Amino acid sequence: MAHPVSTSRRFVLARRPHGQVREEDFALVRADVGAVPDGGALLETLFISLDPAIRSWLDDRPSYLPPVAIGDPVRSLGLARVTESRNPAFCVGDIVRGFTGWQERHVVPSPGAEWDRITPKPGVPLETWLGALGMTGLTAWIGVYDILRPSAGDTVLVTAAGGAVGSLAAQLAKRAGARVIGTAGGAEKCDLLTTRLGLDAAVDRRADDWRDHLAAAAPAGIDRVFENAGAPCSTRPSRS
């Protein structure tokens, strides 16, 4: 049975999770979308990005963003299509990127700079704008080229290299001419890093003897570290 576009299915936060999230922490509801006010736009969600940061937004604790309120749609970045607009800056059919949340459609009363307009490119899947061409790719790019700045021949260690940011950072470091070692959890991820992504070596962080494997992978030492797993940072002199 078809439902009118004046309603939207939403996954809302039903309770605060404790530890690993459970299905019971969320609820699927149908809610009225409401009218589009002057200056507003109606957005239809096309893709959402399931990022690790979502888990932290579900906790009631201070952060760079307020926690998701009980009963509100779960917050997430996404891509959406403008289906109705009363804002001259947003036209029907535009593809935009922003915090769509886990919902089919919603009204943005006054969309501004927090919504990026996306221009689709031939041969580039639209969802790429949430990955390599989105915040994930930008984080990796800035971390490697603006902060790490590896030189050709450097040995670079990328932690959590099997994840979204880490896998891109490792490839960017390779592109810069560095020898790249990645850490990841499990043999399958480590195999992916070397056979699919072209890293020079991979170390299973879950192995009891991971330190020995890391030492063997970098006998002359490590010049740069892309710390991507939230560990404390330390400064060590580069090898001469």
Side-chain angles (χ1 to χ4, degrees):
M1 177 179 177
H3 292 276
V5 295
S6 60
T7 65
S8 172
R9 288 181 299 175
R10 298 170 175 171
F11 278 103
V12 301
L13 184 63
R15 67 182 187 184
R16 298 287 177 199
H18 295 282
Q20 186 172 350
V21 296
R22 301 177 181 274
E23 184 177 347
E24 295 78 15
D25 298 331
F26 311 99
L28 177 60
V29 302
R30 183 172 290 278
D32 290 334
V33 172
V36 179
D38 288 336
L42 175 62
L43 305 183
E44 179 184 25
T45 303
L46 301 176
F47 296 96
I48 60 172
S49 180
L50 297 180
D51 300 302
I54 295 174
R55 177 61 186 87
S56 66
W57 299 334
L58 304 181
D59 291 335
D60 188 8
R61 59 183 176 85
S63 182
Y64 60 95
L65 288 174
V68 176
I70 300 296
D72 278 0
V74 178
R75 179 188 296 129
S76 70
L77 281 170
L79 298 177
R81 178 184 291 111
V82 178
T83 57
E84 182 181 345
S85 178
R86 302 185 68 183
N87 186 313
F90 292 83
C91 301
V92 172
D94 282 349
I95 305 298
V96 294
R97 177 176 58 194
F99 281 118
T100 59
W102 292 7
Q103 54 191 338
E104 288 180 307
R105 57 186 64 87
H106 72 294
V107 170
V108 181
S110 181
E114 73 278 9
W115 290 95
D116 299 324
R117 184 178 286 100
I118 300 300
T119 302
K121 303 291 184 182
V124 179
L126 193 58
E127 58 268 31
T128 306
W129 295 92
L130 289 175
L133 297 179
M135 187 179 297
T136 299
L138 182 62
T139 301
W141 181 276
I142 291 176
V144 171
Y145 288 124
D146 284 359
I147 299 174
L148 209 62
R149 298 181 181 181
S151 300
D154 281 350
T155 294
V156 173
L157 174 66
V158 179
T159 63
V165 172
S167 61
L168 290 173
Q171 292 176 82
L172 291 174
K174 283 291 294 182
R175 183 182 176 88
R179 181 174 182 273
V180 181
I181 303 168
T183 66
E188 184 177 358
K189 286 185 179 180
C190 288
D191 182 66
L192 171 70
L193 295 180
T194 54
T195 61
R196 293 282 300 278
L197 301 187
L199 271 64
D200 298 280
V203 176
D204 184 355
R205 64 174 178 80
R206 296 176 181 170
D208 293 335
D209 57 348
W210 67 267
R211 291 178 176 83
D212 295 333
H213 288 286
L214 180 59
I222 295 170
D223 300 293
R224 302 281 189 273
V225 177
F226 188 98
E227 175 46 59
N228 191 41
C233 295
S234 61
T235 303
R236 297 180 179 179
S238 299
R239 67 185 185 188
S240 58

